């Protein structure tokens, strides 16, 4: 085999592999296909973190109604069965009968006592009875309750923001994992392409060595290069599988569910609009973390007001209706009762002041945390801009370097076919091309990650 035939074979294999690398993997019947946007939408509905945040909203709604119901009428029914072993009795005076006195004789004490009838014993209860009553309680005024209603509304707002934050996080984590999978696949394609070229080169150079056209060291150098690429290919394959599992986990998919990604890096790069990212103004009030902190600060302020309101009186009303299945002869129960209760705190041994002081301290801490977060977000934004600009510059430079290394590699192939370049120079050019391609795809991943970091700070919905 002459060198020109060898060169044509290498170029043909290289072109075929590069074309194959641009193709999208065919999906099997049970494989799910996702674009980046579809993966994000799926995660925002099925991610376990998003589901838990949605459940927290439902729980908060019930908590709000539970607290609201405390100020609404409370109706209770009660039934009691009683059994008296000994029913108490009370004698009800003797009666005097004058007709029973003897006539025309002097009355004696015994005559008078004889004219008295025995006393009547009246039972003060019944042996068995059932008592049932219905009571209605109504809170009329409570400072704690009024402030608590505002706090419940704010708590609902915080849970809504937590759901929004979970969706933000799902979007960003899925995006980063999606990019990681695409970069891993591109890395696999590069290594597979390289391995095919090395195998073909090794086969041809082995034949040329057997014919005495090249040295043994040239063949050994290719074998070493092949071993290095095979090791790297195994490692990258494992990383690619792990990236797929991470993406499915973040989407809320079963880890064994096969998926196919329909977007490719070129499509996402064209849609990235990277040039305008550094010029977007940062409005901290739109940041979800800052908004949640402001809501937490409002809750701390309401808690402070609630503790202060405990010094106010509490007014409540109470109505009760009672019925007995068996009514005793003497009934001391009142069938209907209406009462109004007024509770005024007078002396709490300093407990009130301590609770108010603790609530004030908690409010001050929350204010400090909000200020720290504000400063941290501003610093984070400036750092994220720097990271994005650096990632964009790295991407542009490595893109140009990849094009140059590709040109150098092809020229080295041409020189090798003409006998001007050695196999070592060819291997070095090949390694340089592979390293440049690897750095190029890593720069794409870094650029996407820098973009998502900025989006995390700038997102408004």
């Amino acid at each position: 085999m002459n060198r020109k035939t060898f060169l044509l074979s290498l170029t043909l294999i290289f072109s075929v592999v590069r074309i194959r690398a641009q193709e999208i993997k065919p999906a099997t019947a049970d494989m799910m296909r996702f674009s980046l946007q579809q993966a994000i939408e799926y995660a925002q509905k099925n991610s376990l973190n998003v589901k838990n945040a949605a459940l927290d909203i439902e729980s908060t709604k019930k908590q709000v109604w539970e607290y609201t119901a405390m100020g609404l009428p409370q109706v209770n029914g009660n039934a009691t069965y009683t059994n008296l072993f000994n029913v108490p009795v009370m004698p009800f005076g003797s009666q005097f009968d004058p007709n029973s006195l003897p006539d025309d004789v002097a009355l004696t004490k015994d005559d008078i006592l004889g004219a008295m009838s025995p006393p009547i014993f009246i039972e003060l209860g019944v042996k068995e009875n059932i008592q049932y009553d219905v009571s209605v309680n109504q809170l009329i005024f409570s400072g704690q309750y009024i402030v608590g209603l505002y706090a419940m509304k704010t708590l609902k707002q915080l849970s809504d923001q937590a759901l929004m934050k979970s969706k933000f996080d799902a979007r960003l984590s899925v995006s980063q994992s999606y990019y990681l999978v695409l970069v891993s696949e591109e890395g696999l394609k590069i290594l597979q392409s390289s391995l095919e070229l090395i195998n073909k080169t090794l086969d041809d150079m082995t034949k040329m060595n057997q014919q005495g056209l090249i040295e043994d060291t040239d063949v050994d150098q290719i074998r070493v290069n092949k071993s290095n690429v095979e090791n790297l290919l195994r490692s990258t394959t494992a990383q690619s599988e792990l990236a797929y599992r991470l993406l499915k986990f973040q989407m809320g998919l079963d880890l064994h569910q096969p998926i196919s990604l329909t977007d490719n890096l070129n499509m996402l790069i064209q849609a990235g609009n990277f040039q305008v990212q550094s010029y977007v103004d940062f409005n901290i009030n739109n940041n979800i973390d800052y908004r949640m902190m402001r809501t937490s600060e409002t809750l701390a302020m309401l808690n402070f007001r609630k503790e202060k309101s405990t010094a106010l009186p509490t007014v409540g009303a109470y109505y009760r209706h009672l019925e007995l299945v068996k009514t005793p002869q003497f009934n001391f129960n009142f069938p209907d009762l209406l009462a109004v209760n007024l509770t005024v705190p007078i002396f709490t041994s300093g407990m009130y002041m301590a609770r108010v002081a603790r609530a004030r301290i908690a409010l001050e801490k929350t204010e400090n945390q909000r200020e720290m977060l504000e400063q941290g977000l501003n610093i984070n934004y400036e750092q994220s801009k720097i990271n994005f600009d650096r990632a964009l510059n790295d991407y542009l430079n490595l893109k140009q370097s990849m094009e140059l290394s590709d040109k150098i590699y092809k020229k080295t192939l041409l020189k090798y076919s003409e006998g001007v370049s050695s196999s070592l120079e060819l291997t070095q050019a090949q390694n340089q091309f592979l390293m440049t391609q690897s750095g190029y795809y890593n720069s794409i991943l870094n650029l996407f990650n820098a973009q998502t970091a900025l989006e995390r700070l700038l997102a408004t919905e």
Side-chain angles (χ1 to χ4, degrees):
M1 177 184 291
N2 56 38
R3 289 181 179 269
K4 287 187 177 181
T5 304
F6 174 61
L7 173 61
L8 290 174
S9 300
L10 287 178
T11 305
L12 179 61
I13 294 173
F14 182 77
S15 301
V16 171
V17 174
R18 289 291 299 273
I19 293 173
R20 187 187 306 162
Q22 304 299 324
E23 297 178 351
I24 300 176
K25 290 182 179 180
T28 59
D30 59 345
M31 182 176 290
M32 301 179 67
R33 299 169 61 88
F34 293 97
S35 66
L36 175 58
Q37 185 59 35
Q38 289 171 338
I40 291 173
E41 292 173 356
Y42 188 93
Q44 290 179 338
K45 294 179 180 179
N46 298 280
S47 168
L48 295 180
N49 287 333
V50 174
K51 287 183 176 180
N52 283 339
L55 290 174
D56 288 338
I57 288 182
E58 294 301 317
S59 177
T60 302
K61 288 180 180 178
K62 302 303 180 183
Q63 185 178 357
V64 170
W65 178 247
E66 177 185 354
Y67 189 87
T68 304
M70 292 172 57
L72 302 178
Q74 308 294 313
V75 181
N76 295 300
N78 181 55
T80 304
Y81 168 79
T82 57
N83 189 314
L84 301 177
F85 291 98
N86 295 305
V87 179
V89 295
M90 182 183 70
F92 195 78
S94 302
Q95 293 184 354
F96 179 71
D97 184 10
N99 295 325
S100 62
L101 295 174
D103 297 329
D104 301 329
V105 296
L107 296 177
T108 64
K109 180 180 178 180
D110 292 335
D111 293 334
I112 296 175
L113 291 176
M116 300 291 295
S117 62
I120 301 174
F121 291 91
I122 300 177
E123 293 183 342
L124 300 181
V126 294
K127 182 173 179 54
E128 291 182 306
N129 206 346
I130 296 177
Q131 169 186 310
Y132 59 91
D133 63 82
V134 177
S135 61
V136 181
N137 293 273
Q138 175 62 57
L139 180 65
I140 298 176
F141 175 81
S142 171
Q144 296 182 71
Y145 177 74
I146 295 174
V147 176
L149 287 178
Y150 289 102
M152 288 296 105
K153 181 180 179 181
T154 306
L155 184 63
K156 172 63 168 57
Q157 180 183 356
L158 184 62
S159 62
D160 290 338
Q161 292 172 343
L163 176 60
M164 185 181 301
K165 183 178 184 297
S166 297
K167 290 184 176 182
F168 281 160
D169 293 340
R171 175 185 177 183
L172 298 180
S173 60
V174 167
S175 297
Q176 290 176 331
S177 296
Y178 199 100
Y179 301 144
L180 180 60
V181 169
L182 293 181
V183 170
S184 298
E185 287 186 332
E186 291 297 332
L188 282 175
K189 292 172 185 176
I190 294 170
L191 292 173
Q192 289 166 353
S193 171
S194 174
L195 187 59
E196 290 181 13
L197 287 172
I198 291 173
N199 287 332
K200 177 61 177 176
T201 303
L202 179 60
D203 182 62
D204 291 339
M205 293 184 70
T206 299
K207 294 178 181 178
M208 294 172 67
N209 175 257
Q210 292 173 352
Q211 296 173 5
L213 299 178
I214 59 175
E215 300 290 336
D216 292 341
T217 54
D218 294 333
V219 179
D220 293 337
Q221 182 64 43
I222 296 298
R223 287 198 179 99
V224 170
N225 196 21
K226 175 184 176 181
S227 177
N228 292 335
V229 172
E230 287 176 339
N231 291 334
L232 188 57
L233 181 61
R234 284 192 291 269
S235 175
T236 306
T237 301
Q239 292 177 0
S240 178
E241 293 175 355
L242 181 60
Y244 265 107
R245 292 173 67 88
L246 178 61
L247 175 60
K248 288 186 282 188
F249 169 75
Q250 292 171 340
M251 290 175 60
L253 277 169
D254 187 288
L255 297 182
H256 301 289
Q257 169 65 45
I259 62 174
S260 174
L261 308 187
T262 59
D263 287 345
N264 58 55
L265 287 178
N266 290 332
M267 293 169 53
L268 297 176
I269 290 172
Q270 293 175 2
N273 197 16
F274 297 117
Q275 299 291 343
V276 301
Q277 294 295 327
S278 297
Y279 303 100
V280 179
D281 293 331
F282 178 48
N283 185 354
I284 195 171
N285 292 314
N286 292 333
N287 183 270
I288 185 61
D289 292 321
Y290 186 75
R291 288 156 61 187
M292 291 183 68
M293 178 55 71
R294 291 298 298 265
T295 305
S296 298
E297 185 179 5
T298 302
L299 280 174
M301 180 189 64
L302 290 172
N303 183 60
F304 173 63
R305 291 180 179 177
K306 182 178 75 69
E307 294 298 338
K308 291 181 65 177
S309 68
T310 57
L312 299 175
T314 301
V315 182
Y318 172 82
Y319 170 76
R320 178 187 179 190
H321 176 75
L322 182 144
E323 292 287 345
L324 296 174
V325 174
K326 297 179 181 179
T327 304
Q329 292 177 309
F330 279 83
N331 184 11
F332 297 100
N333 293 306
F334 300 100
D336 293 285
L337 174 65
L338 176 64
V340 177
N341 179 58
L342 173 65
T343 302
V344 180
I346 298 177
F347 180 70
T348 61
S349 299
M351 181 174 58
Y352 167 77
M353 297 301 298
R355 287 181 174 176
V356 172
R358 287 184 58 202
R360 182 186 295 108
I361 292 172
L363 175 58
E364 291 178 359
K365 287 180 61 178
T366 306
E367 291 172 348
N368 292 337
Q369 292 171 353
R370 189 256 307 159
E371 186 175 352
M372 290 172 58
L373 178 62
E374 183 174 351
Q375 296 175 0
L377 287 174
N378 283 307
I379 294 174
N380 192 13
Y381 172 67
E382 296 299 329
Q383 183 63 50
S384 296
K385 284 178 59 179
I386 295 173
N387 293 341
F388 178 81
D389 290 337
R390 182 170 59 245
L392 181 58
N393 290 331
D394 290 345
Y395 161 72
L396 295 175
N397 291 333
L398 284 169
K399 181 180 180 182
Q400 184 178 11
S401 298
M402 186 186 70
E403 295 172 354
L404 293 175
S405 64
D406 184 30
K407 185 182 299 184
I408 293 172
Y409 180 50
K410 290 178 179 178
K411 286 185 178 180
T412 306
L413 279 174
L414 180 60
K415 290 180 180 180
Y416 182 77
S417 66
E418 296 174 349
V420 179
S421 176
S422 67
S423 62
L424 179 59
E425 291 174 332
L426 176 62
T427 302
Q428 290 175 342
Q430 184 186 48
N431 289 339
Q432 180 182 6
F433 174 68
L434 292 174
M435 290 180 62
T436 306
Q437 273 202 327
S438 176
Y440 168 70
Y441 286 115
N442 284 333
S443 72
I444 294 177
L445 181 60
N446 292 335
L447 180 57
F448 280 132
N449 288 339
Q451 183 189 36
T452 55
L454 269 178
E455 290 177 349
R456 180 69 175 79
L457 292 168
L458 299 172
T460 58
E461 295 182 358

